Amino acid sequence: MQHFEDSIYNLIVETSTNLPGDVRRAVAKGRALEDIATRSGLALTTIAQNIGMAELQVSPICQDTGMLTFIIHTPVGVNQIEMKKDIYNAITRATKDGKLRPNSVDSLTGENSGNNLGEGTPVIHFEQWEEQGIDVRLILKGGGCENKNIQYSLPAELEGLGKAGRDLDGIRKCILHSVYQAQGQGCSAGFIGVGIGGDRTTGYELAKKQLFRKVDDVNPIEDLNKLEDYVMENANKLGIGTMGFGGEVTLLGCKVGVMNRLPASFFVSVAYNCWAFRRQGVLIDPSTGTIQDWLYESGTGISVEGSKVPEVGDSPESKSESREVRLTTPISEEDIRSLRVGDVVILSGEMHTGRDALHKYLMDHDSPVDLNGAVIYHCGPVMLKDEEGWHVKAAGPTTSIREEPYQGDILKKFGIRAVIGKGGMGPKTLQALQEHGGVYLNAIGGAAQYYAECIKKVNAVDFMEFGIPEAMWHLEVDGFAAIVTMDAHGNSLHADVEKDSAAKLTQFKEPVFK
């Protein structure tokens, strides 16, 4: 199969850069349900623009290109050892070309392999079948949504929902709770795959396999079809909204599968996927390795953009409370304390990326640059280097809650005035923002091309030994927009939405399926 490596490379590029047609239609349907002039409406419009930009530029839709997971069906006799070698070569090429971010990290040393290869990465599931062709399916599921996966062991007592028993109604409660607990941290509006039964391992595998189903398919099991319809009708009533900003659209798809279990165990496993639902598949000729057919409809020609991103003044939320504020780094405490939740901040000047490795380092060491009045961006960009230097290929925000143990201390230690990320942070950070004079700015998760366009220059980089995603990149930006969701006055939009959605969750306590 002399062309197999090229076919896998093309599959990786298409999956990373071009959202499939069924997913685009789901996003477009969600946009139609949301008021375009709200924070969630603005976020969905930005998402739609980002989808088009990624396709046009053949660049990653989201900077977190996730854990590559392949499910491959082969005829008897096909050499799977040689196929693996070609897959590894294709992944190395795609990483070098900036279609994938180097995401494979040694769990003990923290060292990044640099090419997305390592023990356990990528994930490849081979299965034989009696068909003649080779069926290769790939999903790129980022860490932010992977961290919101959840598994329930029934019976269980669930917050707001009471007892969930070992029956269809207990499963219903688990699914609704899984959407609630994700809030905006998994880059809602999202998709979920649900696995009923199995053991702890196979339950999660079944849940992730549901994400390979097409968004508009119909479950052949009547009870599960009813359950999927129920979840899609009611999960959006929680009011979590896109990015957790509050709103009408929290879930874009729900697929449920079932398998047998042990008498003593009853697991409900949920695989949460962000709006950047990147999965694709190909049918490959086993004699040549060439692609015979694509298994999911291409997104090319299916626009989800609609109207342009609305001006802040167009929003009913903004007319009473919010405004657009332009700031240039370094930022003063006075400017920061003038901001309120809901304000849209347009940043220019230098900002600095910082993720897990940097935050841990800064707790006990000095910063290589002056951070007084600075902005820290929770981001692990996709970067390429040529003779002119480093270039940003994708640069959306990462989930911020991971930095909660460090963020408040680092803010005060270095005089940082603003933190940019997604999904919000907790009470320790909120208290530090209030005491020190800082704000948390929520960027649109997954909008990696939208934000990369705002980055005009890479000024420098420190800590390359941490790997590209974890390094401290010093970036010159212009027109970088994000929403204040935690301010210096003790207000948190994230806490408000979570409290409101918790109250709404209780309406689903009574049995539905008997």
Side-chain angles (χ1 to χ4, degrees), residues 11-34:
L11 171 62
I12 292 170
V13 172
E14 179 72 8
T15 308
S16 178
T17 64
N18 193 0
L19 215 57
D22 61 334
V23 177
R24 290 189 185 219
R25 276 190 287 271
V27 173
K29 183 178 179 180
R31 287 194 68 226
L33 296 173
E34 197 72 72

Side-chain angles (χ1 to χ4, degrees), residues 72-147:
I72 304 175
H73 288 81
T74 67
V76 176
V78 170
N79 191 328
Q80 297 177 359
I81 295 175
E82 291 301 318
M83 289 176 69
K84 271 192 176 182
K85 291 178 183 178
D86 285 341
I87 291 171
Y88 294 161
N89 289 338
I91 290 172
T92 301
R93 284 172 54 194
T95 306
K96 183 179 179 181
D97 292 345
K99 310 304 180 185
L100 296 173
R101 186 179 73 181
N103 269 354
S104 181
V105 176
D106 187 297
S107 295
L108 299 182
T109 67
E111 183 178 354
N112 193 309
S113 69
N115 60 2
N116 274 303
L117 302 181
E119 188 65 35
T121 56
V123 176
I124 305 176
H125 298 286
F126 279 109
E127 297 180 24
Q128 288 187 334
W129 66 352
E130 295 181 347
E131 304 293 330
Q132 294 301 309
I134 299 173
D135 183 307
V136 183
R137 307 198 184 211
L138 169 64
I139 188 168
L140 303 179
K141 190 171 183 294
C145 61
E146 185 71 11
N147 288 344

Side-chain angles (χ1 to χ4, degrees), residues 3 82 191 267 316 323 351 398 400 449:
H3 300 294
E82 291 301 318
F191 300 79
F267 298 115
R323 59 208 169 106
M351 67 170 59
T398 195
S400 297
Q449 295 307 310

Side-chain angles (χ1 to χ4, degrees), residues 142 197 207 251 298 320 413:
L251 196 65
S298 170
S320 58
K413 178 180 178 180

Side-chain angles (χ1 to χ4, degrees), residues 487-509:
D487 63 25
H489 309 284
N491 303 306
S492 170
L493 175 66
H494 308 284
D496 292 344
V497 170
E498 183 170 359
K499 182 179 179 180
D500 180 63
S501 59
K504 291 177 177 176
L505 185 65
T506 61
Q507 69 183 294
F508 303 110
K509 187 173 183 177

Side-chain angles (χ1 to χ4, degrees), residues 23 26-27 29-30 44 189-191 215 232 236 249-254 275:
V23 177
V27 173
K29 183 178 179 180
L44 276 168
F191 300 79
V215 176
M232 288 305 301
N236 289 326
V249 184
T250 303
L251 196 65
L252 296 172
C254 173
W275 67 262

